[in-house]
Amino acid sequence: MERQIKKILVANRGVPAVRVMHTCRDRRIPTTAVYSSPDRLAQHVFMADSALLIGEAPPIESYLNMGNMIDAALHSKSDAVHPGWGFLAENAAFARMVIDAGLIWIGPPPAAMELMGDKIRSKEIARRANVPVIPGIDNVTSIDEIKKWLEKEKVGFPIMIKASAGGGKGMVKVENKDQLAHSFNQARSEALKSFGDDKVLVEKYIERGKHIEVQVVADEHGNVIHLFERECTIQRRNQKIIEEAPSPSIDEDLRTEICLTAVRLMREIGYSSAGTVEFIFDSTTKRFYFLEVNTRLQVEHGITELITGLDIVGIMLDVAAGKPLPFKQSDIRPNRHALEVRINAEDPKTFSPSFGTVTRLQIPQGPGVRIASGVYEGADIPPYYDSLAMLLMTAGADREDAIRVMDRAISRNLRIEGIKTLAPRASFTCTAGIMI
């Protein structure tokens, strides 16, 4: 049954909030922004048709305050909520609160979010769907369990200890048995601090691994379609820095196999809306393994939009309104190559956050350039939130062309002063298939 969306509360800030609002403007759907006290002059506040104070600076009092978020939606007479990415975007309890309040949740079903929100349960479902998973053990509570697994399965170091409840945090690589005790305690501590859950799992570490993820969209009518893959191998501290689509690391046969595998998994869990299935690709053995499902809009979705010509946020709105996907798998024909770099407000030498006022901002322009920005000249970047200031994307007829456009955009046209960023001073070049 189709539902009409008349006004959307965007339950986020900065880059993700602005991104969602652009599509809403295209659709002529009014938006409501929420903001914390230090964000009252933030770009997403100016972008929206109305804005409401959600709380004080700490995220738990503002952007993670589910009750205040629901009250803001009802007070603003919004009838739908889009969570963007980060904060409450993968919180199944919040999704249920939105639905229980009589509002439209622009995202996947809460049940699917719960299934995929736990790495251990998601791996069990992946096995059931005949999706390959990395050799490992789940629900690890002691170092002795790890030692027995290593001996029984003849698994050598390195291994990876991961938090069960989330991604990016609570992940520790173990190089040898002498590091095992310290790494195990570190992973559990980080998991508890980041996700409130110290459950961990252990996996064989894939040397020379490539991070490949498949963008999937699905509707409430049983249609599940992939929009091909992205590669996000270049990371720091398990956080992506550079993304590209399509992946230069796989051939057409592997591309078909990995994309159809992602679709099969999403069908298994009854998914709808936009989501991403992440894999690790072993470039030595040419095998891929399931990592996790991100049950939300991905930061790097823009490069998939560049190569397919689709608006993924727009697809999310249509699916939330009960509409079927307007295309078939055979209609999706990527014909470009695209790159994305994350311009974080960080010291490039230490990756420490760099906050303050943007005293000068020159945005790259020209053919093949797309910017998703959460700041403007004169804006303050507060010390309380994610350091992402801007996403810089480029597209070209092929990979070399996209790199040339990125070189022009990031090294000749981009200027940010007042804060330190990850933007390099040198040009992008391509050496042995690795962007540097």
Side-chain angles (χ1 to χ4, degrees):
M1 183 176 120
E2 292 193 10
R3 303 170 286 274
Q4 186 176 7
I5 296 176
K6 297 179 180 178
K7 189 176 185 180
I8 296 174
L9 179 128
V10 183
N12 215 300
R13 67 177 298 278
V15 177
V18 171
R19 168 62 192 95
V20 172
M21 290 172 187
H22 277 300
T23 290
C24 292
R25 281 191 173 185
D26 290 346
R27 300 290 187 94
R28 290 179 168 79
I29 300 174
T31 57
T32 294
V34 292
Y35 63 93
S36 65
S37 49
D39 267 348
R40 64 185 184 86
L41 299 178
Q43 185 170 359
H44 71 283
V45 175
F46 294 123
M47 271 283 292
D49 297 279
S50 60
L52 291 172
L53 177 66
I54 198 72
E56 295 304 314
I60 195 68
E61 298 179 23
S62 51
Y63 299 107
L64 291 176
N65 190 320
M66 295 187 283
N68 284 5
M69 221 41 106
I70 299 297
D71 289 344
L74 296 174
H75 181 79
S76 64
K77 294 183 169 48
S78 299
D79 52 18
V81 174
H82 195 301
W85 63 76
F87 290 124
L88 296 169
E90 292 184 278
N91 190 311
F94 178 61
R96 283 203 169 89
M97 285 180 65
V98 170
I99 295 168
D100 291 344
L103 304 167
I104 297 171
W105 169 249
I106 305 175
M113 297 170 70
E114 285 180 335
L115 286 175
M116 293 296 103
D118 185 300
K119 282 190 174 68
I120 294 173
R121 294 174 66 189
S122 65
K123 285 177 67 176
E124 293 170 352
I125 295 168
R127 293 188 188 100
R128 195 169 69 211
N130 293 319
V131 176
V133 299
I134 302 172
I137 50 173
D138 303 330
N139 289 314
V140 179
T141 59
S142 71
I143 298 171
D144 286 340
E145 291 178 62
I146 302 175
K147 291 178 178 178
K148 289 179 182 177
W149 170 69
L150 289 169
E151 184 176 348
K152 179 181 178 182
E153 301 297 330
K154 307 299 181 185
V155 176
F157 288 95
I159 60 173
M160 183 72 83
I161 304 177
K162 297 181 179 180
S164 171
K169 307 290 186 180
M171 298 174 62
V172 183
K173 181 182 177 183
V174 188
E175 297 282 2
N176 53 62
K177 63 180 181 180
D178 294 334
Q179 298 178 356
L180 195 53
H182 177 266
S183 300
F184 178 70
N185 292 329
Q186 180 184 342
R188 293 188 70 183
S189 176
E190 289 181 6
L192 185 63
K193 186 184 300 183
S194 299
F195 310 112
D197 185 346
D198 67 355
K199 282 193 301 183
V200 296
L201 56 87
V202 179
E203 295 175 339
K204 170 63 181 172
Y205 181 80
I206 304 298
E207 300 278 11
R208 300 179 62 82
K210 303 287 186 178
H211 189 116
I212 311 291
E213 60 185 34
V214 180
Q215 177 69 63
V216 176
V217 291
D219 61 27
E220 298 172 353
H221 306 275
N223 301 303
V224 184
I225 294 174
H226 71 78
L227 305 183
F228 291 89
E229 86 290 348
R230 301 181 288 258
E231 179 166 337
C232 313
T233 301
I234 300 178
Q235 304 182 13
R236 64 101 175 91
R237 298 175 182 169
N238 301 312
Q239 299 293 316
K240 301 163 190 172
I241 293 294
I242 299 176
E243 300 101 352
E244 62 180 310
S247 166
S249 300
I250 59 176
D251 59 24
E252 286 303 317
D253 288 341
L254 267 170
R255 177 167 289 113
T256 298
E257 184 181 358
I258 200 168
C259 289
L260 292 180
T261 299
V263 168
R264 186 167 69 248
L265 178 60
M266 293 302 234
R267 285 189 188 280
E268 179 73 22
I269 64 177
Y271 201 86
S272 65
S273 194
T276 304
V277 185
E278 299 198 358
F279 299 93
I280 188 75
F281 171 63
D282 188 332
S283 57
T284 301
T285 63
K286 304 299 181 184
R287 299 181 64 182
F288 62 87
Y289 304 93
F290 170 72
L291 285 178
E292 63 181 346
V293 173
N294 293 127
T295 56
R296 55 170 167 81
L297 182 69
Q298 286 280 87
V299 178
E300 58 272 18
H301 75 281
I303 54 174
T304 296
E305 293 180 329
L306 286 174
I307 69 170
T308 62
L310 297 172
D311 180 343
I312 295 175
V313 174
I315 293 170
M316 295 180 75
L317 300 188
D318 289 340
V319 169
K323 299 177 182 178
L325 295 176
F327 43 75
K328 303 187 294 291
Q329 187 64 67
S330 58
D331 296 325
I332 310 302
R333 300 187 184 95
N335 62 358
R336 307 280 282 169
H337 198 101
L339 305 172
E340 176 180 274
V341 298
R342 302 190 187 193
I343 309 298
N344 292 342
E346 296 176 358
D347 186 325
K349 295 181 179 179
T350 64
F351 294 120
S352 299
S354 175
F355 302 109
T357 301
V358 179
T359 57
R360 184 187 177 195
L361 179 60
Q362 178 179 305
I363 299 290
Q365 298 179 4
V369 177
R370 170 173 162 175
I371 301 293
S373 179
V375 298
Y376 57 89
E377 190 169 292
D380 289 326
I381 298 183
Y384 311 103
Y385 314 115
D386 184 84
S387 60
L388 179 65
M390 182 188 304
L391 298 172
L392 172 54
M393 292 162 270
T394 62
D398 54 29
R399 188 170 187 252
E400 294 296 325
D401 194 22
I403 290 174
R404 280 193 294 270
V405 178
M406 182 63 77
D407 182 13
R408 160 170 57 86
I410 201 168
S411 64
R412 294 174 174 83
N413 298 136
L414 176 65
R415 294 290 181 273
I416 304 178
E417 297 179 5
I419 57 170
K420 295 179 180 180
T421 74
L422 297 186
R425 297 297 181 185
S427 299
F428 263 49
T429 59
C430 185
T431 304
I434 301 175
M435 291 189 303
I436 58 173

